[in-house]
Each structure stands twice: as C-alpha cells, then as structure tokens.
Amino acid sequence: MLGDKSNDCTTPRGFMVSLARDVRGNTLAIMAAFLFPLMGLVGSAVDMSRLYVVKARLQQACDAGVLAGRKFMIDTGTTLDSNAATQAQAYFGSNFKKDVPASGTKGFMNTDTVTFTPVKTTDNQVSATASAIVPMTITKIFGTSTTTLNVSCQARFDVADTDIMFVLDTTGSMSCLPGDDDTTCSNYAGSATKVAYTRPSTSGGVTGYAGTIGVGTTEKTGSRIEALRQAVLSFYDTFAANADPSTKVRYGFVTYSSSVNVGQAILDKSTSYMVGGSGTETANYQSRHVYADYVSSTATTNTNNGKTSANCTASVRTPTTVKTYTVSTGAATRVYDSWSSSTSKCRTLTDTIVPQWEYKQLPFDVSVLVSGNTITDPTKVKGQTTSWLGCVETTVDSPGATSFTTASLPSELNPDLMPTGTSRWWPHLQDLTYARNGWGNANTDYSNNDDPSNNPNYGVDATVSNSTSLRNAGAVTCGKPAKRLGVMTRTDVYNYVYATDFVPMGGTYHDIGMIWGTRLISPTGAWASDTAAWPNRNTPNRVIIFLTDGDMAPTTTAYSMYGVEAFDKRVAGSSGTSLTTLHNTRFLAECAAAKARNIDVWTVSIDTAANTQLTSCATTSAQALATTDGTGLATAFANIARHLAMLRLTR
C-alpha cells in the first residue's frame, strides 16, 4: 500500500478529488450563478410598477381630456371644434405632464413622445387615444430600453333633453309686493284700480280672444308678478348657461286663476273634444232670458185724438214682435188708444216697455262660438256681441269627493283624458253668465229691466251700471292663453311674460293650474306628442315648476272652470265639506298624478314658507321652495335651472 498514490493530492487526480470533497465557498458560487436571473426579476418588478403607475395616470388624463372636450364642444360640424380640442389638451396636460423635445424636458416619470388625440364621434361625443414611451431602468440591461403604452377613452353626456312646464299663479294678489303680509295684500288687491287692456293677437289663443277687452289689477312697483317675470327669465338664462349645447329644451306655460285659457290647445288636438266642436250643440249656463214685456212707464201723448169710442182701439208696438226691443235704447214702445170715461174722449198713450228677465240655468248653442265666430249676446237687448275667449268649463264626475285613487281618477282630474260625451269641455262664457238674488237659495229669479245690484253679470256691459262689479272684484277672469310645449328663444319667453295680457287678476284655484299643467306635459295624454322624445334621442326629463303667492281660496260666488259653485255645486255637491278642503284634495290628487307619470314637480311660494299642500305636491320636500323677496325668487328659479341643467358623465 505504501506504493499506492491514488489519494495523493499532488497528483492531478488527487487534486480534483480533494476539490470535490471541499464545500467551503459554495454559497458564493451559487449566488454568483443566480445574480443575473435575480437582477432580471427585481428589475422587472420595478419597471412593471412604473409602467402600471404611468398607464393609470395616462388613463386618468385621457378621461379628463375627453370629458373637458365634451363639456366645451359646440354641437356643429362633423369634427371636434378648436375650442373643445384646446380644452381637451389642456385638461390632459394638467393631469399628465408631456415631454418637450425642444428643451429636453421629460414628461411624467421621464416619459417621451407623449401624445393625446381627441376626436368627435359620429354620435356627437368625444373619444381619444393617448400614448407615452416609458424608459426602462434595470430591465434595459437585458435589452428592453423602452415600452410604449397606449390607452383609449370616451366621454358621453347621457343627459335626457328637458321639457319644462311653468304653471304660474297670475291672481290679483300677484299685484302686491313680495314682502306684503296677507292682510296688506288683500286690502290692496281688493281696492286697487282695475286697468283695462286690449288682448293682443300675439298671444295666440282662440279666434275670439284677440282684440277683446280685459282688466288687470294695478301692480305695485316691484310687484310679485314683476319678480315672477324676472325669475322666469333668470331660469331661462341659467339653464342655457349650464346645459350642454346639444341639449334640447322645450318650454310651456299655463297661467291660472279661477279659470285657465286652454281653448286653442284643445282645438289644436281635436275640435271634437269641445261641446259644439262638431256641429250644433248646447251647453248650460247660469244665465237669463227675456221672460215677458214689462211696462216701465206710460205717457199720455194726446188727450183727444178725435176718435169715437167704437174706433178707440188702435195699438202699435215698435218693434212689433213681443219681447224684442230697439237696439239703441234697449226698450220698446207701444202707442195705443184708450177711452177716457171721465172726459168721454179717446186718448193716445205711449208705454215704454222693457224686458222682464228670468234668471236660471239655460242652454245656449255654443257651436258658432267654438268655431270662432262672434254672436249677438242672447242675454242682452242692445245688440251687444260676444265671443269665446278660450277658457273652458268642465264636468265633475265626483262632487263632494274627499279622496282619489291615482290609478283611477275621475275625468276632470285624469291627465290622459281623451274626452267624449259628457266628459268633453265647453266654453267658459262670462258675458252669458249671471248671479241671481239669494246666491243659490232660489233656482229662479226675476227682475224688471236690468237689476245689477241683485243680478250682476260676470262679463262686460258698459251700458248697465255696476255690471262689471263681479269682474272687477276678481270673481271671474279669463287670462293669457296657455303655451304648449315647444322650443322658445329668450325673446319668445320675454314676450310671453311681458305681454299686455300677462296681468294679475282673479282668485286662487291651484287645482285648475295643476290639472292643465299636467295635461299639457303628460307623456300619455292628448298632448303626448308635444313631449315625445326628439328623433334618435332619449326620453326627455319632464318638469313642472308651480309658482303661487298664496293659499287655495275658492269661493261659491266665483265663475270658475267649475261654473258658479253657488248654483252648479259641481265641486261640493251636497257635502258639508269645506270648499277649500275639497279643492286642496283635488290639487294634491293632480300632483300625485303628475309624479306617477315621472314628471318632476317643483313648487315655489312667495311666502315665508311652503305650506303643507305645496310641500306635499313637490317631488321631494327639498323641491318646495319659498321666499318673500323678489331677488330671492329669481335666485330660487336659477337654482332650479342649475339643478336641472346638471349633466351626468360616463365613460
């Protein structure tokens, strides 16, 4: 064995065996072997994190850019306008710093060649692509020096077009100041001078409206109705300033008091909706007719005409027909012979004959009026004429009702009514309508000649003393014609609220305004086509803005859309329920009907606070606003407009 040198480390074979058996320093060798792969993993993690951050920021900047571009886009042409493009680039640049090659400035996280390209899409939105070249750090050792990131984005304004129906109280109290208390205002409105005006043709309405004489209550300087005019214009301006230029907006107006002028709106849809619209037909009115001749005085014109007793029989009436009268005087004469037994002579006497009137409910043919013609007033004898101004009366299916079901409303409250038969409307005719002595205590009354103190007319008859007392007291009015939904310029809106017939007059019947405001904007009623979606666009938002300055104030003596309650009893019937309660119930039922049709309801009160009814009427309590200041009214309307003009943005 002494000669065996197989384990001798001095030999090559021995050295290798020793080396294999020696494990000292192996860790260092292993680490050296894994150094490059480890550097790759770490570098990849670092650079991937950088890429993630850059891409997230790039996407955010892209989103911000297209949103700005869409916000500032003018809806003309097929390409993105320069202002929108500039704003888009500015918003992108504010969110992602671009590189500037000329100065050697790098972009966000040392990016290069940062691009953002916004374009207008075929559906009038804005889309864009953005890219950036990101330099690598550690991974460039392995040959990856840069990575290009690309993102895309799009902005869409998913906001429906908007239809806005203003339902505006134009009653006599709107002549007061916004800050006047109830007592001050009531005293003023009752005693203020009533000013006559000529109804203008520019207001539209039925044929019989233009050129007739109306009256309004003299407004105080800075009146509520003046504040309303300015508030409506403030709304228009605010909405226009805040809405997207591509938004389609339609406006409509209903002014109300104890009546509402919707005649032309009805005829526009179908003349068959009116009694008398399809031919000869009568409607009933609390009115009067000539019942008999009445001799008001007798004069002896000849004490001896020379006739014998046998020949003393002559008698001539002028006009010859009984119960007709000379137009110029409203009277007739009868010249006749009368034998005087005391003088044994034939005398000539002259009677002045005037009409004896019977006051009761009477039928009149209304077809001529509905067709737009003027008629000789059958309730007067001096040749006065009358026409239909456009206000309407309605039947009531449920007199005395104290509750209603939204899904099953009576015809007079149904916003979707397509009237037939007894549910049709008929002309509101104040010239043919009269009160009578006792205010409902007697079905029939009589008077000799005209008797305005006991039996006043609701209309106008300048030849009869005090005949306008009911009209001037606000017991009747037929105001400005309603404006159906349609595109209106600011000038159009200005001309509507500043027209000579946009005046304060009449009593406060909120239910009448709400009924017709809802009808004219209902998506499922007779005027549904007015509020239909624009071609290739979404369903519009539908909004009612209801303004009033007071509480419900119906009376039995007013001539309203429901007739004269003292005689017709359409609302109260035989119930003992307060008339105000019954009208408030109808008002709230119509508010509920509007909301059930997805109509957004706002109420605005010129008062210290919104009352219970107006708060309940609004879609939410936050949408029941109140103010006692003219500027505050404009602010309230502007705030509503700003809210409605807010746009929902989606990617």
Side-chain angles (χ1 to χ4, degrees), residues 117-130:
T117 308
V119 296
K120 187 177 182 179
T121 65
T122 56
D123 60 345
N124 294 322
Q125 307 302 332
V126 176
S127 66
T129 58

Side-chain angles (χ1 to χ4, degrees), residues 118 171 224 228 595:
T171 59
R224 296 171 182 178
L228 171 59
K595 290 180 283 190

